[in-house]
Amino acid sequence: MLSRLASATLLFIGVATSASAHITPAPTAAELECVALANQSRAAEGLAPLQWDSALAAAARFHAQRMSQEGPISHRYGGEPGLAERAASAGARFSLVEENIAIGESPAQIHDAWMHSPGHHDNLLNRQIDRIGVAIVQARGVLYAVADYAQAVAALTRNQVEAKVAAIVAAHGLAIETDASSAEIARQYCVIEDGSQASPPGVERPRFMMRWQGDVGRLPGDLSARLASGMFSRAAIGACAPQHDPGSSQAAFTAYRVAVLLY
């Protein structure tokens, strides 16, 4: 928790970094002002403007209302989901999510405080983020503000994730195993956290196995090197719900975890 004294008013601000939809009202004038100020500051640094995201705004409103009830502000109260889970539950799809919170008298004052606080400044001017959702709730004679920022990703099904990775692997000249048993072995390996053997007895053992979580449009360096070595001819691909992302499901992931088995 950070604090800043501005215009004779104690302005409390906080910062956090970590992704069924809720309907949020149209943004208020104060919330739009907060977005405009953020984009002005980004433009001054040569950064792309942030686009309004109604799912992030819904997550922000959920938390802003809780802050207004509690009084002292926090990124998480007892019994409340964390930032990533709140955003995912509201329908946001992201690979990165951050949050700034504050109490102040006006959007301009809140923005100024964020810009003069290193953590908040870095969140707001992060080159990776491209979406914003803001909620401002008036209570106790002040404004309770929450700004959620994210790097958006497309919502892909497990099959779509697997197909996207398979296309990249196939471009290296490997054949993709398409039978159900091979895919299931890869999916089982995807969900385990240790280095357990992926193949059951009597089934061919992969010569190399890798799991990663994150960008599915680019393979990890070690995997790319293995594919380029010419030592492998076949691959099985499996995707699963990412770890530490309670809002994800098999229907649409907010982030991606993939396993590749090479033969």
Side-chain angles (χ1 to χ4, degrees):
M1 187 67 60
L2 304 172
S3 62
R4 174 180 173 81
L5 190 62
S7 303
T9 297
L10 191 59
L11 186 71
F12 298 95
I13 55 181
V15 57
T17 301
S18 84
S20 58
H22 301 288
I23 303 301
T24 189
T28 65
E31 291 162 353
L32 290 175
E33 181 180 352
C34 212
V35 175
L37 290 168
N39 282 334
Q40 288 174 16
S41 294
R42 289 178 65 84
E45 298 295 326
L47 300 175
L50 301 175
Q51 297 181 30
W52 180 263
D53 188 299
S54 58
L56 287 177
R61 179 158 296 279
F62 173 85
H63 190 62
Q65 290 172 338
R66 179 67 183 269
M67 290 199 313
S68 70
Q69 295 166 2
E70 296 284 346
I73 65 174
S74 171
H75 286 287
R76 188 176 187 179
Y77 299 101
E80 183 186 34
L83 169 60
E85 187 175 352
R86 291 198 308 267
S89 295
R93 304 297 176 190
F94 52 87
S95 56
L96 169 69
V97 63
E98 308 171 330
E99 181 175 85
N100 285 355
I101 61 177
I103 296 175
E105 291 185 330
S106 69
Q109 185 193 53
I110 290 167
H111 177 76
D112 181 68
W114 284 342
M115 289 299 293
H116 285 86
S117 168
H120 307 89
H121 173 278
D122 292 348
N123 273 358
L124 201 154
L125 298 184
N126 188 339
R127 291 180 177 274
Q128 294 180 281
I129 62 172
D130 52 22
R131 298 290 190 274
I132 185 173
V134 177
I136 295 179
V137 175
Q138 186 168 10
R140 305 169 188 264
V142 293
L143 301 179
Y144 288 81
V146 177
D148 287 345
Y149 315 99
Q151 181 182 54
V153 297
L156 302 178
T157 65
R158 179 172 65 181
N159 288 341
Q160 289 173 325
V161 172
E162 292 171 352
K164 187 170 184 176
V165 175
I168 301 173
V169 173
H172 285 79
L174 279 73
I176 305 300
E177 298 285 351
T178 57
D179 61 285
S181 60
S182 294
E184 186 57 33
I185 290 171
R187 288 170 178 173
Q188 289 174 7
Y189 179 63
C190 183
V191 300
I192 62 178
E193 297 188 23
D194 58 23
S196 301
Q197 170 60 36
S199 301
V203 177
E204 182 182 3
R205 179 176 179 174
R207 296 169 58 200
F208 177 78
M209 304 181 292
M210 171 172 277
R211 291 169 299 216
W212 77 95
Q213 185 165 312
D215 187 0
V216 296
R218 181 175 55 189
L219 302 181
D222 189 28
L223 178 57
S224 294
R226 300 276 180 160
L227 295 174
S229 71
M231 298 173 57
F232 308 95
S233 60
R234 296 176 291 122
I237 316 295
C240 59
Q243 294 180 352
H244 312 302
D245 187 359
S248 65
S249 70
Q250 296 295 352
F253 298 156
T254 58
Y256 306 104
R257 181 171 168 86
V258 186
V260 173
L261 313 183
L262 302 181
Y263 300 87

